[in-house]
Amino acid sequence: MSQQVSEVSAGANAVAFFGLGLMGVEMARRLAEAGYPLTVWTRTFDKSVDFVKANPGSKAVQTVSEAVERGRYLILMLTDFASIKATVASDEVMPLLAGKTVVMMMTIGIGESVELAAAFQRHGASYVECPVLGSKPVAASGSLVVMPSAPPEVLTTELKALLGVMGSKYRPISDQYGKSLAVKLALNNSIAAQMVTLADSLALIKGHGVSSELFWDILKPSVAFANYFDIKFDRMNAAKYDDPVFSVRNLLKDVSIISDELRGLGFDSSGVDGSKALLAHTIDAGYGDDDAAAVIEGVMRRAKQ
């Protein structure tokens, strides 16, 4: 390890941030603006370089190992469990984790998180399961709901302050791993259900030639209204799916996890599986990286077949 890396690693608040996706880039930006010594790593190095240009004082590195060496807190906002296993939880990197605190802020399976906790702890690292609730604009404003589960001694004052930079709503869930993800998955299931419900309803209205604005005027003050409709109605109605807040592909990933968790408990997953099939159909139609409001395209395309 170089002298420079040693000096950075010695900093109690040094952060290594993994993943600069839709939300990750906003969360990392807030840490940089708050003055944390910040190292960023993402699979596309040019994206890390662009981040550093926009956030002077942060540093981009090309290898996971270098990022780990430079950080005291390792924040994970990668794609999925497989991406964690291939990077921070790989055989090559695990020996570097002693004394670090790994903060997993993504949505993965409950069993996967429990597996990570055991693996990290075997290598001398602390682990915080800390999914967040929010979207890109919410992350940009620092208003995410952060939901940690970890032993009390891991949730130090310093760590709480770090989490507070990214999320103003601190809601600790449990000292047992898996509980925060259970809450996050339940919340995302509600989001998916509202998304699909609105898409089905709006497709029905449009299909019968009824004014969507008239439908909205009746829906919004009624008991049939749900808050998430407010966020997605205009996008669906105008077919504006660019600049995604939550992509179809990411929502399908989460819904697939929810389906697996329900079946693992011995419960019926058919309701979730309907949303899963529709999201997959929407991706097949070419909308995978668009905002999840594009699910209405999946509904209307399926209806034409």
Side-chain angles (χ1 to χ4, degrees), residues 198 212-231 233-234:
L198 182 60
S212 55
E213 287 75 17
L214 172 62
F215 166 68
W216 181 251
D217 287 344
I218 296 170
L219 172 64
K220 189 164 183 178
S222 76
V223 295
F225 183 77
N227 287 341
Y228 206 70
F229 295 171
D230 234 349
I231 300 173
F233 174 79
D234 286 342

Side-chain angles (χ1 to χ4, degrees), residues 94-163:
M94 280 288 204
L96 305 176
L97 296 179
K100 313 283 187 180
T101 297
V102 181
V103 186
M104 197 288 301
M105 306 189 78
M106 309 148 48
T107 305
I108 61 175
I110 291 171
E112 293 169 345
S113 182
V114 172
E115 178 184 328
L116 287 175
F120 289 142
Q121 289 168 349
R122 283 197 303 271
H123 287 82
S126 299
Y127 177 67
V128 182
E129 175 186 297
C130 190
V132 297
L133 179 65
S135 59
K136 181 179 178 180
V138 177
S141 68
S143 302
L144 293 169
V145 181
V146 294
M147 301 177 287
S149 284
E153 62 272 16
V154 176
L155 298 174
T156 62
T157 301
E158 292 77 14
L159 178 55
K160 291 176 183 177
L162 187 154
L163 295 175

Side-chain angles (χ1 to χ4, degrees), residues 170-271:
Y170 182 78
R171 296 299 303 269
I173 303 299
S174 176
D175 60 359
Q176 298 178 30
Y177 298 117
K179 306 302 184 185
S180 291
L181 279 166
V183 173
K184 175 61 189 299
L185 290 168
L187 291 166
N188 277 16
N189 186 49
S190 177
I191 289 172
Q194 292 178 62
M195 190 90 69
V196 171
T197 296
L198 182 60
D200 286 342
S201 298
L202 195 52
L204 181 65
I205 288 296
K206 288 176 176 287
H208 281 283
V210 178
S211 165
S212 55
E213 287 75 17
L214 172 62
F215 166 68
W216 181 251
D217 287 344
I218 296 170
L219 172 64
K220 189 164 183 178
S222 76
V223 295
F225 183 77
N227 287 341
Y228 206 70
F229 295 171
D230 234 349
I231 300 173
K232 296 301 176 183
F233 174 79
D234 286 342
R235 275 183 177 265
M236 285 189 188
N237 194 39
K240 294 175 64 175
Y241 314 128
D242 58 339
D243 192 20
V245 172
F246 193 174
S247 73
V248 176
R249 198 177 309 280
N250 282 342
L251 186 57
L252 175 59
K253 177 198 66 115
D254 292 354
V255 167
S256 298
I257 295 171
I258 294 163
S259 176
D260 290 344
E261 293 294 343
L262 285 171
R263 289 200 309 274
L265 292 166
F267 298 154
D268 190 319
S269 64
S270 55

